[in-house]
């Protein structure tokens, strides 16, 4: 029985395999996504305890992807990136990253950081009462953050409208 699922967003298959080797076990499944649509599809179907994103800036806008993930889920996000400026790191954190690790990545340290984020998420999830309601990729309702996402766009609702 699988208790944990990790989503790895990477177009570098070698990086995905390395993460999979360190993180996958009898109790943890490591899934793979390569595009923004893959991410949204996976989030619509599965609950993940961690999302690891290995950014490739020419192909994906990291801030947009992090923002989209954060609109849909409160799952912790660990970002793997090339060496970047402090202001870029701040932008990643503001967009929804919980941790940023620069390459070259020591996989044992990365795995330890990932396990720490998973444990924090599991502990906080057990304390939360509201769970997101997901109806495919068309409709997602998150009572914890009082958000409604329709076709990937956040619907702006008043408190009363959301309660109804």
């Amino acid at each position: 029985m699988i208790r944990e699922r990790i989503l790895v967003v990477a177009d570098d298959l070698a990086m995905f395999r390395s993460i999979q080797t360190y993180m996958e076990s009898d109790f943890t499944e490591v899934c793979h996504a390569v595009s923004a649509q893959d991410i949204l599809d996976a989030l619509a179907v599965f609950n993940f305890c961690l999302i690891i994103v290995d950014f490739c800036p020419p192909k994906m806008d990291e801030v947009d992807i992090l923002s989209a993930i954060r609109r849909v889920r409160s799952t912790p996000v660990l970002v793997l990136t090339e060496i970047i400026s402090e202001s870029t790191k701040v932008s990643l954190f503001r967009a929804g990253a919980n941790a940023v690790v620069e390459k070259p990545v020591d996989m044992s340290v990365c795995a330890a950081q990932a396990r720490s984020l998973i444990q924090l998420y599991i502990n906080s999830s057990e304390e939360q009462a509201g769970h997101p309601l997901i109806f495919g990729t068309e409709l997602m309702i998150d009572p914890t953050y009082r958000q409604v996402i329709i076709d990937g766009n956040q619907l702006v609702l008043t408190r009363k409208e959301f309660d109804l």
Side-chain angles (χ1 to χ4, degrees), residues 6-20 30-36 38-39 51-57 59-60 65 69 78 80 103:
I6 298 170
L7 178 62
V8 178
V9 180
D11 68 350
D12 180 354
L13 192 56
M15 179 60 79
F16 167 71
R17 294 280 185 224
S18 181
I19 293 168
Q20 186 179 36
V30 179
C31 303
H32 187 221
V34 295
S35 70
D38 288 347
I39 297 166
I51 300 171
I52 300 175
V53 183
D54 178 23
F55 280 128
C56 303
K59 295 187 178 184
M60 297 180 172
I65 289 174
I69 291 170
L78 171 63
L80 307 178
K103 296 177 184 175

Side-chain angles (χ1 to χ4, degrees), residues 5-88:
R5 274 195 182 87
I6 298 170
L7 178 62
V8 178
V9 180
D11 68 350
D12 180 354
L13 192 56
M15 179 60 79
F16 167 71
R17 294 280 185 224
S18 181
I19 293 168
Q20 186 179 36
T21 299
Y22 271 85
M23 300 301 299
E24 197 160 70
S25 71
D26 291 341
F27 303 105
T28 305
E29 178 183 8
V30 179
C31 303
H32 187 221
V34 295
S35 70
Q37 189 60 50
D38 288 347
I39 297 166
L40 293 176
D41 290 346
L43 291 173
V45 175
F46 299 109
N47 287 322
F48 295 96
C49 58
L50 178 66
I51 300 171
I52 300 175
V53 183
D54 178 23
F55 280 128
C56 303
K59 295 187 178 184
M60 297 180 172
D61 184 294
E62 57 265 18
V63 172
D64 289 342
I65 289 174
L66 287 172
S67 296
I69 291 170
R70 195 52 67 218
R71 281 193 306 264
V72 175
R73 300 282 181 158
S74 60
T75 307
V77 179
L78 171 63
V79 175
L80 307 178
T81 184
E82 300 297 329
I83 296 174
I84 55 176
S85 68
E86 299 302 316
S87 63
T88 303

Side-chain angles (χ1 to χ4, degrees), residues 146 157-164:
R146 303 181 66 78
L157 299 173
T158 64
R159 182 174 198 79
K160 187 69 168 178
E161 288 171 331
F162 184 87
D163 290 339
L164 292 172

